[in-house]
Amino acid sequence: MNARQNTGSGNGFDVIVAGAGYVGLAIAVAIGQARPNLRIAVVDAAPEGAWRRDGRASAIAAAAVRMLDRLGCWQEIAPGAQAITDMVVTDSRTADPVRPVFLTFDGEVAPGEAFAHMVFNRDLNAALRRRAGEFGIDLIEGVGVTGFDTGAQDATVHLADGASLTTRLLVAADGVRSRLRDMAGIGTVSWDYGQSGIVCTVGHERPHGGRAEEHFLPSGPFAVLPLAPAEDGTNRSSIVWSEKTQDAERLVEEDEIVFEAELETRFGLKLGEIRVLSKPRAWPLGLTLARDFVRPRFALAGDAAHGIHPIAGQGLNLGLRDAAALAETVVEADRLGQDIGGLDVLERYQEWRRFDTLRMGITTDVLTRLFSNDFAPLRAVRDLGLGLVERMPRLKDYFIRQAAGLSERAPRLLRGEAI
């Protein structure tokens, strides 16, 4: 869909979002729902329909489910979603015949409300795209942003096809290697963990019962996340497997039989025979934190603002918290007649999100360094810590509510309220 053909009212917009992933689409939909008077476009370099080929799944925290429900998306996503009913955490070596459970979490933050669901990425994307279309949001696909110029009243956004658009606010939601972040002159603090994350979907004989498992192994965490059964009844789980980069690259290129054998030593036989249902893929793991989230008429959101280790399963949820906070900031400013792209307005968003982002970045970094090793004294200390948490119900409840995104300072959408 080309914005210049779709709208028929020129190339001027109030908000342009670069990146049609979940975060970018959520920002556009949230603003469009609350302020239908604003003209919004989403620009994405990926070819039309590329998102349909994404076979991965993600953990969506309770607060994000509330947000998606408020945006009118959850009813469409829910039939293919799987509630996480409980979670267990173990700490062992790969070859250990028994993996003792050090920590368990119940799966509800309120009666009938799971602390997280597993959803397929393409289902989430489809629901957000449908709502974007209903709100008249323009979607420009297959054309990336090649540059932008910021003026006193608006920014001019240059596209790869030679066209230019104007906007009062440009949002970069174009991923951890954001080109727009670099164009804006925003630096980052970043480092590599020497690990890569392997992702695939597996089928297994016995049902998982909604249980998620995270095994801390010397090479990195190995997570088994429950998925809804396939249409043919196949029991499925999503694997997020951290390994040293060299080993991960070797594993994904191995013969399927060899890969499944390596997988089985980590997965175990508790769910019966397993088989890989999707081609395993690996990506490098690191920490990236933007030094600033905003410039005049420019804001970062999602992975463009922060890329973290998947050890806590919070990457996507952190991005959706950005989306909710930025949308609320923009909507309230517009209601008050303020300039939605003004630096004074955007700094409210930055102040709102910076501490949460820094805290999560530090938390995942500490956890990664603490658990991705086989140093015996450190192992004893961390196992003692896990055991203590297991025996403190109030502390466990606090952790689960934080993981669910239900903090007191959460944006309204994450509390299930309209902006």
Side-chain angles (χ1 to χ4, degrees):
M1 192 191 317
N2 185 290
R4 295 171 294 284
Q5 295 174 348
N6 185 53
T7 63
S9 54
N11 293 346
F13 291 89
D14 297 293
V15 180
I16 292 178
V17 180
Y22 336 106
V23 174
L25 289 168
I27 292 168
V29 170
I31 296 174
Q33 182 184 60
R35 300 300 285 170
N37 59 297
L38 297 179
R39 291 197 62 215
I40 304 168
V42 179
V43 181
D44 194 72
E48 184 176 356
W51 59 274
R52 292 190 177 92
R53 297 190 291 274
D54 187 352
R56 297 171 299 169
S58 299
I60 304 294
V65 170
R66 294 180 183 185
M67 173 179 174
L68 291 168
D69 188 42
R70 174 56 65 175
L71 295 180
C73 297
W74 184 246
Q75 187 174 3
E76 180 178 339
I77 298 167
Q82 170 64 53
I84 297 178
T85 57
D86 70 312
M87 182 172 182
V88 299
V89 178
T90 75
D91 187 11
S92 62
R93 296 177 178 86
T94 305
D96 288 350
V98 177
R99 294 199 176 128
V101 174
F102 287 94
L103 189 58
T104 62
F105 290 104
D106 292 330
E108 291 188 342
V109 292
E113 183 178 15
F115 81 85
H117 285 75
M118 290 297 298
V119 304
F120 282 97
N121 293 359
R122 56 177 172 261
D123 292 346
L124 176 56
N125 202 305
L128 287 167
R129 283 169 177 262
R130 177 183 60 81
R131 291 298 277 167
E134 291 174 357
F135 292 136
I137 294 166
D138 294 283
L139 186 59
I140 307 171
E141 297 182 273
V143 183
V145 175
T146 57
F148 63 93
D149 304 304
T150 303
Q153 302 299 320
D154 56 31
T156 301
V157 180
H158 307 290
L159 305 184
D161 63 359
S164 294
L165 309 174
T166 61
T167 183
R168 292 199 287 158
L169 172 62
L170 172 62
V171 179
D174 56 339
V176 70
R177 296 182 179 85
S178 172
R179 293 181 60 197
L180 272 71
R181 181 184 63 212
D182 295 339
M183 293 175 196
I186 296 176
T188 61
V189 175
S190 60
W191 52 79
D192 186 274
Y193 289 120
Q195 295 178 336
S196 287
I198 302 172
V199 175
C200 65
T201 300
V202 300
H204 39 82
E205 285 185 274
R206 292 188 283 275
H208 45 58
R211 168 170 287 185
E213 300 184 2
E214 183 144 33
H215 304 296
F216 289 122
L217 303 173
S219 58
F222 178 88
V224 181
L225 304 168
L227 297 175
E231 291 183 1
D232 63 2
T234 299
N235 299 304
R236 299 182 295 180
S237 292
S238 177
I239 302 299
V240 182
W241 171 6
S242 299
E243 278 286 343
K244 294 178 181 177
T245 296
Q246 184 176 355
D247 293 335
E249 292 174 351
R250 173 185 59 81
L251 282 164
V252 298
E253 296 300 326
E254 285 282 11
D255 179 89
E256 184 176 306
I257 296 175
V258 175
F259 180 84
E260 286 187 351
E262 290 283 350
L263 176 63
E264 189 175 279
T265 63
R266 294 157 177 81
F267 192 97
L269 297 173
K270 57 192 171 298
L271 296 181
E273 182 180 348
I274 63 171
R275 58 190 175 92
V276 177
L277 301 179
S278 66
K279 180 175 175 53
R281 300 187 181 279
W283 80 100
L285 301 177
L287 176 70
T288 301
L289 299 175
R291 293 184 180 274
D292 297 293
F293 283 16
V294 301
R295 289 283 190 269
R297 312 217 165 274
F298 182 84
L300 297 174
D303 286 351
H306 42 71
I308 62 174
H309 196 286
I311 191 168
Q314 288 295 307
L316 174 58
N317 294 291
L318 200 61
L320 290 177
R321 293 205 285 272
D322 292 346
L326 181 57
E328 189 168 327
T329 302
V330 168
V331 167
E332 289 188 343
D334 189 60
R335 284 178 178 148
L336 294 172
Q338 298 172 336
D339 182 355
I340 63 173
L343 188 58
D344 56 337
V345 169
L346 297 178
E347 282 179 339
R348 299 175 205 161
Y349 160 68
Q350 176 171 266
E351 182 180 358
W352 199 350
R353 294 300 305 135
R354 177 172 268 173
F355 175 74
D356 182 38
T357 297
L358 180 61
R359 179 183 61 180
M360 187 57 67
I362 292 173
T363 299
T364 55
D365 184 66
V366 170
L367 288 174
T368 300
R369 297 179 189 278
L370 180 62
F371 285 96
S372 297
N373 65 78
D374 197 25
F375 184 51
L378 195 57
R379 177 185 290 276
V381 171
R382 71 196 187 204
D383 290 349
L384 176 62
L386 290 173
L388 288 173
V389 173
E390 175 67 12
R391 291 164 176 78
M392 301 174 70
R394 289 186 180 179
L395 187 58
K396 285 174 65 175
D397 288 344
Y398 170 78
F399 284 149
I400 206 70
R401 289 191 67 81
Q402 289 297 309
L406 302 175
S407 67
E408 293 181 0
R409 294 191 70 239
R412 291 174 191 161
L413 284 172
L414 295 173
R415 301 197 300 266
E417 302 171 5
I419 301 176

